[in-house]
Amino acid sequence: MIVNYHSDAVAAKDAVAAVERAGGQATAVQADVRDATQLSSLVKTAVTEYGGLDVLVSNTGMARPTTLAEATDEDLELHFAINTRPVFRALKEAVLHLRHGGRVVVISSGATVVAHPGAGLYAASKAAAEQLARAAAHELGPRGITVNSVLPGATRTDALQAQMPADVAASIRSQTPLGRLGEPADIAAVVAFLVSDEGAWVNGQSIHASGGLF
């Protein structure tokens, strides 16, 4: 397994250690997936070190809340540069390198389902990535390759805890039937199913993983 990271080498090292404790093999590779050359090199490293490519999970994302009235062209470009273009390029790499029966999962967002003030650019860029995944599901299907998107609800990541006010988090918990925020492990479990043999018949879907929030 290749664990890609942009800047947080410590988190990447922890992920590698977790894989190894579970009996697997992993390598941390730093690459800015906004750069087509670095993304291509990242995939080729996986092919070289592990003999091929079976699973590709695209988990890039950023959000800079702004109303449409206040948004600039630079804001638009930034969201699509991080949330959409890397997915497009990753899917192109999947076409070239994924073996028969491979799996692709794109991490999208519940923002594409439920509108929030200030999240228009983020939602639009994630929705575009979802549509690329749907198209890829049809194009790669003849090779037995599935492509799906996962749409997390509010998930208790470091970024969310740093940005979300406590009262907003409490409101989301109260609106969620399961009465809590999501955990990274909740989303990982959905991804694990989709890339497993048991998930082989799920294809071209946008899977809601929100505890019932949407």
Side-chain angles (χ1 to χ4, degrees):
M1 174 187 292
I2 294 291
V3 177
N4 168 234
Y5 69 99
H6 177 256
S7 57
D8 195 341
V10 174
K13 183 178 179 181
D14 289 345
V16 168
V19 172
E20 291 175 343
R21 284 195 301 271
Q25 293 180 298
T27 306
V29 177
Q30 184 176 24
D32 186 342
V33 295
R34 292 174 296 180
D35 184 304
T37 300
Q38 291 189 48
L39 177 57
S40 180
S41 177
L42 176 68
V43 173
K44 288 175 182 175
T45 298
V47 172
T48 299
E49 292 200 11
Y50 293 96
L53 188 65
D54 297 301
V55 174
L56 177 63
V57 178
S58 177
N59 190 31
T60 59
M62 65 77 61
R64 180 180 292 174
T66 179
T67 64
L68 293 178
E70 296 173 335
T72 65
D73 285 351
E74 289 73 20
D75 290 325
L76 179 68
E77 172 62 25
L78 180 63
H79 280 84
F80 276 81
I82 295 177
N83 296 336
T84 311
R85 285 201 192 98
V87 175
F88 163 69
R89 289 168 178 156
L91 290 171
K92 287 179 70 69
E93 292 294 333
V95 171
L96 295 173
H97 297 290
L98 267 175
R99 292 188 282 212
H100 187 91
R103 304 279 185 266
V104 180
V105 177
V106 173
I107 305 300
S108 182
S109 170
T112 67
V113 179
V114 182
H116 298 284
L121 298 185
Y122 174 70
S125 61
K126 283 291 190 178
E130 281 184 45
Q131 292 306 312
L132 289 171
R134 286 179 179 272
H138 286 270
E139 294 180 17
L140 295 173
R143 291 164 52 189
I145 297 169
T146 66
V147 186
N148 294 286
S149 299
V150 174
L151 285 58
T155 304
R156 205 162 59 88
T157 62
D158 291 342
L160 181 135
Q161 293 184 90
Q163 297 175 7
M164 181 175 285
D167 60 330
V168 175
S171 176
I172 292 174
R173 281 195 297 270
S174 69
Q175 296 174 58
T176 303
L178 293 179
R180 64 176 177 86
L181 299 182
E183 297 290 340
D186 296 321
I187 311 307
V190 176
V191 174
F193 169 73
L194 291 173
V195 304
S196 70
D197 291 341
E198 289 78 8
W201 196 236
V202 182
N203 190 31
Q205 302 302 305
S206 295
I207 309 295
H208 295 189
S210 69
L213 181 62
F214 54 81

